[in-house]
Amino acid sequence: MSNFNDYTVSWICAISTEYVAAQAFLDEKHERPEHVFTNNNNNYTLSKVGRHNIVIAVLPDREYGTFSAAIVAKNMLHSFPNIKIGLIHNIRFKDIVFLNQLLAILRTVINGLKAQYKIKRHQLLKAAIDNIFEKKLRLRKKYKRPDSIRNRFTAEINVLCFEIKTAKLMNYFLCLQNYTAIAAAVYTKNFFYRILFNKNKNKKQIKKAFSDS
C-alpha cells in the first residue's frame, strides 16, 4: 500500500476530461489508497512524474468553481500531510492555476518553462501528444487537435461562404476543449520535471493557500 507521507505534489482536475488527460502522462501509477480520513470523499490517483510523487483528484461531477476545489484541496491535505505544491488544472477558467502564487519556486519554474516552449513550443507539444496517441490509441479520436473551423466546414460543403449549424459548432468546441486538456497536461508534466524542492520548506505556505481559498 502507498504511504500517504510520500506524496508532495497535488494535481486537481475540474472535470473527467482533464482527469483522463492527466493520467495519460504519468511516469508511474501507484496503487490506490485503501482508506482515507473520515469525510474525505475525494477520488484519488497516486502516481509519480519525474522525481515527484503526485496525488491527483477530480472535482465531483457537475460541481465546478473555487469552492468545490477548496473542499477537495482541504480533504487532500488531511490525508496527504506532506504536500508542498498544489495545482488546479481547469480548462473552463484558466488552463493551470498555481494555488500558491507567492512561492518563488513556482515563478522561476514558470519562467524556465516559458523559455523552453518559446524556442520549440509546437515541436515539443506535438511530439509529446503524438507519443501518447501511439501508446494509447483510444485517446486519439477524442483528444486530437481539431481542424480549423473554417477549413473543416469548407471541406464538408466545398464552398467558401457557409452557415455553421449550432450542433456542428458545439461539437467543434468540445473537440477543442479536449485538445486543450491534453495540451495542458503536457505543460504540467514538464512543470513537474523542473520543480526542485528545498528541504522542509514551503509546507506551511501551501497549507495556508488551501485554507484561504
Side-chain angles (χ1 to χ4, degrees):
M1 186 181 75
S2 300
N3 187 339
F4 288 6
N5 293 322
D6 291 340
Y7 293 85
T8 56
V9 176
S10 71
W11 186 355
I12 299 174
C13 301
I15 57 177
S16 60
T17 298
E18 300 162 3
Y19 196 34
V20 172
Q23 293 179 63
F25 287 93
L26 304 176
D27 293 336
E28 297 177 10
K29 196 168 182 179
H30 302 163
E31 291 184 11
R32 288 172 50 82
E34 294 183 0
H35 66 274
V36 291
F37 285 95
T38 305
N39 299 323
N40 186 341
N41 298 317
N42 291 352
N43 184 279
Y44 293 119
T45 293
L46 305 183
S47 59
K48 187 171 186 176
V49 174
R51 60 176 64 84
H52 305 296
N53 286 323
I54 297 171
V55 52
I56 309 175
V58 62
L59 301 189
D61 190 30
R62 299 181 184 180
E63 292 186 23
Y64 314 120
T66 55
F67 179 75
S68 182
I71 293 175
V72 170
K74 287 179 180 179
N75 288 337
M76 184 182 288
L77 282 172
H78 287 149
S79 294
F80 300 88
N82 289 328
I83 288 176
K84 298 179 181 180
I85 288 182
L87 293 85
I88 295 180
H89 178 177
N90 190 340
I91 58 178
R92 290 174 174 264
F93 305 109
K94 186 177 180 182
D95 284 348
I96 302 171
V97 179
F98 299 96
L99 292 181
N100 195 339
Q101 298 182 25
L102 299 178
L103 293 178
I105 185 174
L106 296 183
R107 297 197 300 269
T108 55
V109 169
I110 292 170
N111 261 347
L113 202 56
K114 284 181 179 178
Q116 177 184 357
Y117 275 88
K118 191 170 184 179
I119 298 170
K120 294 183 177 181
R121 180 178 63 180
H122 296 296
Q123 298 96 312
L124 292 172
L125 188 62
K126 185 177 184 302
I129 293 176
D130 286 348
N131 183 50
I132 285 299
F133 287 162
E134 288 178 7
K135 295 178 180 178
K136 304 178 186 295
L137 297 177
R138 294 179 63 183
L139 296 182
R140 180 184 295 275
K141 182 176 181 180
K142 181 176 181 179
Y143 287 91
K144 68 179 181 179
R145 181 172 185 170
D147 301 328
S148 84
I149 193 164
R150 179 172 293 274
N151 290 343
R152 170 179 289 194
F153 291 112
T154 300
E156 287 182 3
I157 59 180
N158 198 30
V159 293
L160 293 178
C161 298
F162 56 87
E163 178 182 352
I164 301 174
K165 294 183 179 179
T166 302
K168 289 185 177 181
L169 184 62
M170 292 302 294
N171 183 62
Y172 173 81
F173 284 117
L174 179 60
C175 293
L176 185 60
Q177 183 186 63
N178 295 342
Y179 177 77
T180 302
I182 206 164
V186 174
Y187 286 121
T188 304
K189 179 173 183 176
N190 288 330
F191 175 86
F192 291 150
Y193 267 93
R194 285 181 168 270
I195 293 176
L196 291 175
F197 288 134
N198 294 322
K199 272 193 172 183
N200 301 321
K201 192 176 180 181
N202 304 330
K203 183 177 174 182
K204 290 183 179 179
Q205 289 176 285
I206 189 62
K207 286 192 173 183
K208 184 179 186 303
F210 279 129
S211 299
D212 292 344
S213 57

